Amino acid sequence: MNFPGKFVVTTRNDQKPNLIKQQITGLVPGQVYSVKVNNADFKNISSADLMYTGISVIGAQTLESGSIRHQCAFRTKDKKSVNVRLNYMFLKFKATDTTAELILSDWDSDEFPGKAGQQIMWDMVIVEPFFTGEPLIK
C-alpha cells in the first residue's frame, strides 16, 4: 500500500509500550491547548476496529472535558466502500509551565496493551492553542 507523506509505524508487543516523545515549547502558563493525533492499523487501513492508544502531556494539567476518541471513515470516489479509517484523538490540556512533554503510546494503559504484533501508523500530530471563549489578555 502506498501512503503519501510521512508517518511513524510502531509494532505493539506484550512486554512494554512503544512511546513517541516530543518536548512542547513556547507554552503560556494558564493557556488551554489541544493535541490532535491520527493513527490507523497499518496492515489493515480500512479496519473498523477503534485503535485504543494513549496520549498524555506531562508537565501540564489534562482537561478531560471535551477530549475525544473517534474513528473517521473515508470512502472511495464512487462512495460504495470505505478504503481508509483513521482513529482521531483530541486531548485538551492547560499549560502549567512554558514547556511540557507530549507522549504517544501504542498501549491505551497497562491493563489494555492491545494486540501484540499489531502495527500502528501514526500520522498528523498537531499541538495548538484552544479557544475557550475567555480573553487571553486580562
Side-chain angles (χ1 to χ4, degrees):
M1 192 170 277
N2 182 18
F3 296 102
K6 297 179 181 175
F7 54 89
V8 173
V9 175
T10 58
T11 302
R12 284 180 165 159
N13 70 66
D14 57 3
Q15 301 301 312
K16 65 178 182 164
N18 293 295
L19 303 176
I20 301 168
K21 298 180 179 185
Q22 178 68 49
Q23 191 75 12
I24 304 170
T25 60
L27 300 175
V28 177
Q31 170 69 39
V32 176
Y33 294 86
S34 67
V35 180
K36 302 171 194 172
V37 179
N38 281 339
N39 62 31
D41 186 327
F42 184 63
K43 298 273 186 173
N44 185 5
I45 195 77
S46 60
S47 172
D49 295 333
L50 186 60
M51 193 73 57
Y52 287 96
T53 54
I55 180 171
S56 59
V57 179
I58 306 301
Q61 177 189 355
T62 300
L63 304 173
E64 297 298 329
S65 172
S67 297
I68 61 168
R69 270 180 225 236
H70 182 70
Q71 190 174 74
C72 303
F74 298 91
R75 297 194 172 275
T76 56
K77 286 183 181 180
D78 63 10
K79 302 196 184 321
K80 291 184 179 178
S81 63
V82 171
N83 62 344
V84 174
R85 290 185 194 266
L86 295 177
N87 297 280
Y88 174 75
M89 294 186 299
F90 178 89
L91 177 76
K92 289 191 319 189
F93 69 93
K94 184 182 280 191
T96 57
D97 202 342
T98 58
T99 63
E101 184 178 40
L102 173 63
I103 301 176
L104 306 177
S105 172
D106 60 5
W107 283 18
D108 185 37
S109 65
D110 288 343
E111 295 78 37
F112 188 74
K115 186 172 123 185
Q118 183 178 34
Q119 291 188 304
I120 299 171
M121 177 180 76
W122 299 86
D123 181 37
M124 189 198 80
V125 178
I126 298 172
V127 178
E128 61 188 359
F130 183 84
F131 181 64
T132 61
E134 296 179 19
L136 297 178
I137 302 173
K138 295 180 181 179

